[in-house]
Amino acid sequence: QSHIWVELQPALDVSQIVLASAVAETRHKVIDATRKIAVAAEGRLPGGLPNQMCVDIFLWLRVVMATYRSEQVNRRAAVRLMFETAVSGVIAVHVPIYGDGRAPSTASATTLTINSAEDDKEKKYHVDLPQFLSIVRTLWPRIELTEAVTFFREAHDHSEGEIDLEVFLEIADR
């Protein structure tokens, strides 16, 4: 099995660059993990000094990817919770436009589908624009209103008015 060794400092610098937009806690987690997997460079890097440290690049990539996957799962769970909370009106500033948020009351209402891990039954929830905006602003506090409304319009058009968690995530990834 071959290894590709990189000096510790460049690996730390790349970690900072790759995770520049990540939460500080995530960045620190990866940097600490990178320091923990570092080994002495002597015999691994050409001209490696006795006190110089290096990192196996493939092991470093596994650390970064595992952290990314973990954050992705956490973000998805948070978004799911936000959608479920929006239905109750807790995170919405305004009363839902179309009734109590639990069932569509007009043909122009958008329906939100949430598949619960505990409950395999498909539940349909009604989410209007103010609730959608509350979710988007919670995820991205600096988002412009026009950008958020465009996001809603794209999700609405893409799903023919039935915005579910999967559609939200798909449009957010664009």
Side-chain angles (χ1 to χ4, degrees), residues 91-123:
I91 66 171
V93 178
H94 308 287
V95 176
I97 295 171
Y98 308 110
D100 66 359
R102 298 198 189 308
S105 58
T106 68
S108 63
T110 299
T111 302
L112 169 68
T113 304
I114 299 175
N115 293 324
S116 174
E118 306 85 36
D119 184 11
D120 290 333
K121 296 178 185 174
E122 196 172 89
K123 299 177 184 179

Side-chain angles (χ1 to χ4, degrees), residues 14-79:
V14 169
S15 298
Q16 288 282 3
I17 293 167
V18 167
L19 300 168
S21 63
V23 179
E25 180 183 339
T26 302
R27 211 172 22 253
H28 293 304
K29 229 190 310 187
V30 170
I31 289 171
D32 290 343
T34 303
R35 285 192 173 108
K36 287 179 184 174
I37 63 171
V39 294
E42 196 170 4
R44 292 183 175 91
L45 287 176
L49 303 172
N51 61 351
Q52 189 179 20
M53 301 296 281
C54 65
V55 174
D56 178 356
I57 194 71
F58 298 113
L59 185 55
W60 176 80
L61 280 172
R62 285 183 65 190
V63 167
V64 171
M65 292 306 296
T67 304
Y68 173 77
R69 180 69 180 131
S70 172
E71 291 297 317
Q72 186 181 37
V73 167
N74 291 342
R75 174 73 50 117
R76 186 177 178 89
V79 171

Side-chain angles (χ1 to χ4, degrees), residues 73-90:
V73 167
N74 291 342
R75 174 73 50 117
R76 186 177 178 89
V79 171
R80 179 182 301 277
L81 180 62
M82 283 183 224
F83 270 97
E84 291 171 356
T85 305
V87 169
S88 69
V90 173

